[in-house]
Amino acid sequence: MFENHMELSFDSISQNESFARAAAAAFITQLNPTIEELSDIRTAVSEAVTNAVVHGYGNDPSKTVHMACSIRGDIFEVTVWDEGRGMENVALAMQPFYTTMPGTERSGMGFSVMEAFMDSLTVESEPGRGTKVTMTKAIRPVRDDE
């Protein structure tokens, strides 16, 4: 079974959301994903990193966001974590339209988007200790007749 792994750490600034998205996309290309699979992964990574920057660290650029990607066979896994505020009630935070920032541009759909675009989503969080989001997606092999 083919396996590969990479880790990145970057400043908690919104500009690094596109960097993380591009890095995950570049890493997954070794499995020859479809354009749709690649787009799904990029979108989910964007949401996870944005949550870490905005909610985990409150846009504090002195903090660090971490991302690890791995491939095991045809399964891609990405974990994004911060060591920020954390959440008391993960189940509540994962409800569609729930936001801790009412009256802003935040729609409360981040976790719903991640769930919709990936095969699995696990969120671990503890107040004052941060949040870890782990997502997986199976990359179907491309057949010669496609």
Side-chain angles (χ1 to χ4, degrees):
M1 174 190 305
F2 178 75
E3 291 191 23
N4 198 2
H5 180 81
M6 70 93 167
E7 288 189 34
L8 297 172
S9 296
F10 44 89
D11 290 343
S12 177
I13 58 174
S14 62
Q15 291 85 346
N16 282 335
E17 175 233 322
S18 61
F19 166 69
R21 189 175 58 224
F27 184 76
I28 193 62
T29 59
Q30 57 200 294
L31 288 182
N32 196 25
T34 65
I35 296 297
E36 183 179 336
E37 290 166 333
L38 197 55
S39 179
D40 290 353
I41 290 165
R42 290 170 54 93
T43 300
V45 167
S46 287
E47 292 294 334
V49 171
T50 296
N51 277 358
V53 170
V54 173
H55 300 290
Y57 291 132
N59 292 302
D60 183 346
S62 71
K63 303 297 183 182
T64 303
V65 176
H66 308 276
M67 181 175 80
C69 296
S70 63
I71 294 171
R72 288 181 192 85
D74 64 351
I75 304 297
F76 172 73
E77 180 179 274
V78 58
T79 302
V80 176
W81 71 96
D82 63 70
E83 293 145 353
R85 294 179 185 145
M87 296 178 274
E88 282 191 37
N89 189 335
V90 173
L92 178 62
M94 292 182 72
Q95 291 182 6
F97 305 111
Y98 175 81
T99 181
T100 59
M101 304 173 88
T104 67
E105 293 180 21
R106 304 285 161 210
S107 67
M109 293 298 293
F111 288 127
S112 296
V113 168
M114 289 180 239
E115 282 185 306
F117 287 103
M118 300 297 279
D119 295 335
S120 72
L121 168 68
T122 304
V123 180
E124 301 170 46
S125 191
E126 187 176 332
R129 303 205 64 185
T131 300
K132 181 194 289 189
V133 174
T134 302
M135 301 174 283
T136 64
K137 187 164 191 77
I139 305 301
R140 65 173 185 78
V142 177
R143 296 189 330 238
D144 291 336
D145 61 345
E146 290 187 67

